[in-house]
Amino acid sequence: METPDAYRKVLDEEINIEAPNIIAYIQKDINPNSRILEMGIMPGSGSLQFIEQCKKKYIGTHPKQEIIDGVKKESDQPLLYACPLDQQPVNDQSVNVVLSLLGPIGHSTSEAYRVSEPGGKFYVWKVGEEDKRELKAMFGNDNKGPRGYNMEMAKGERVKLLEEELKNGGFNITKTHQFFFDSYLPNKSALIHFLETLGPRAVRNFDKHKDNEVLDEIVKQHTKQYQHDERTESGIWFRKHEVMVVGIKK
């Protein structure tokens, strides 16, 4: 299965309760004249909504060509490029909004600074250190420490690190947000696919056979009922944690 399709399947399987609409939040600062660069665009991410809002003043990039090909299947937007994060195909001070939205890759603050005009905004939206912490803790430690992604981070550390990075990169911090909401997967098979697709960004060296006892314990401890579309459903619960830091170029 190609990476874009695998991530899309994971997104389709999750049920998120009271999840914030981050795209709509960012769109409040977007107008038809906005010139946007998005680093790390992903198929099915929802960020293609910005294209219609800004017509053709949008550029999306990703280091992998197969990801860009996946996005092109969803949009006729011509300005989509495969390139390294630190080599964006954009002139100096030529955009006023830079996006690094939720995805499985990082970002380049130095490139965001280079391409932003003075007063331009940089939105960084990432998974927080408390995301799926209840599940990840159950996989314990190995010789490298906690197997769960970001489990070594203290509470609040993700936001602090992002703020420091943007400040050191030449941005003033204008807004910081932390979002917590409930998420459910329908069954054990979906949980396995979820962990296999996320790979080390969920649990290091996850193996559905070796970790089967842990999986069974997760299903036992975390299966809960929830309300969705006026129906009572049952699924494997975990808490999601996402953070957003917004900087403005000095």
Side-chain angles (χ1 to χ4, degrees):
M1 180 180 292
E2 295 180 358
T3 299
D5 293 333
Y7 274 96
R8 186 178 290 107
K9 186 173 188 297
V10 165
L11 292 172
D12 288 343
E13 287 178 333
E14 277 189 55
I15 297 294
N16 296 313
I17 309 296
E18 298 183 353
N21 189 335
I22 305 297
I23 301 299
Y25 170 83
I26 298 173
Q27 283 180 314
K28 294 178 182 178
D29 283 343
I30 304 296
N31 62 64
N33 295 317
S34 295
R35 302 179 305 281
I36 299 176
L37 168 66
E38 180 175 358
M39 301 180 183
I41 186 171
M42 287 288 292
S45 67
S47 54
L48 288 174
Q49 297 174 39
F50 296 123
I51 295 176
E52 184 61 29
Q53 191 172 0
C54 301
K55 306 305 178 185
K56 298 300 182 182
K57 298 178 181 179
Y58 170 99
I59 295 174
T61 70
H62 195 283
K64 295 183 179 180
Q65 183 64 52
E66 62 265 31
I67 302 295
I68 293 298
D69 292 341
V71 178
K72 286 181 177 179
K73 293 177 182 178
E74 301 177 354
S75 171
D76 61 356
Q77 162 68 6
L79 302 179
L80 299 171
Y81 304 100
C83 63
L85 288 172
D86 60 352
Q87 298 177 32
Q88 298 295 295
V90 178
N91 293 331
D92 294 357
Q93 301 188 39
S94 61
V95 299
N96 49 26
V97 178
V98 180
L99 306 173
S100 176
L101 304 185
L102 198 62
I105 67 164
H107 58 274
S108 173
T109 296
S110 61
E111 273 295 88
Y113 185 86
R114 178 185 69 80
V115 305
S116 296
E117 63 182 21
K121 289 187 175 181
F122 183 28
Y123 293 81
V124 183
W125 175 22
K126 298 295 178 185
V127 173
E129 74 282 348
E130 297 184 63
D131 188 73
K132 299 182 283 292
R133 200 173 188 91
E134 302 86 357
L135 271 62
K136 293 186 294 187
M138 297 181 71
F139 288 90
N141 294 7
D142 58 15
N143 58 4
K144 297 181 180 179
R147 292 177 63 198
Y149 183 62
N150 283 342
M151 288 292 289
E152 72 283 357
M153 280 192 173
K155 185 176 181 179
E157 189 172 353
R158 170 63 82 188
V159 163
K160 181 179 179 181
L161 290 172
L162 286 175
E163 288 179 336
E164 290 177 353
E165 179 185 334
L166 266 63
K167 288 177 182 178
N168 292 336
F171 292 90
N172 287 323
I173 305 302
T174 61
K175 295 178 183 178
T176 298
H177 300 279
Q178 297 202 58
F179 306 102
F180 295 91
F181 52 98
D182 292 332
S183 187
Y184 297 84
L185 290 169
N187 49 45
K188 181 179 175 180
S189 295
L191 174 62
I192 291 171
H193 182 258
F194 181 82
L195 294 171
E196 288 179 335
T197 301
L198 294 180
R201 293 182 66 86
V203 176
R204 183 170 54 250
N205 296 326
F206 171 72
D207 184 298
K208 64 180 180 181
H209 302 295
K210 294 179 181 179
D211 291 316
N212 187 58
E213 289 187 10
V214 177
L215 293 169
D216 286 341
E217 192 63 26
I218 288 174
V219 172
K220 178 181 177 181
Q221 291 189 24
H222 291 273
T223 298
K224 300 181 180 181
Q225 289 187 336
Y226 62 93
Q227 298 294 316
H228 181 64
D229 291 339
E230 299 183 350
R231 299 194 310 270
T232 299
E233 306 283 356
S234 181
I236 301 168
W237 168 85
F238 54 92
R239 185 173 65 164
K240 298 193 78 170
H241 177 211
E242 297 171 2
V243 302
M244 174 174 283
V245 176
V246 184
I248 186 169
K249 184 174 179 178
K250 298 176 184 177

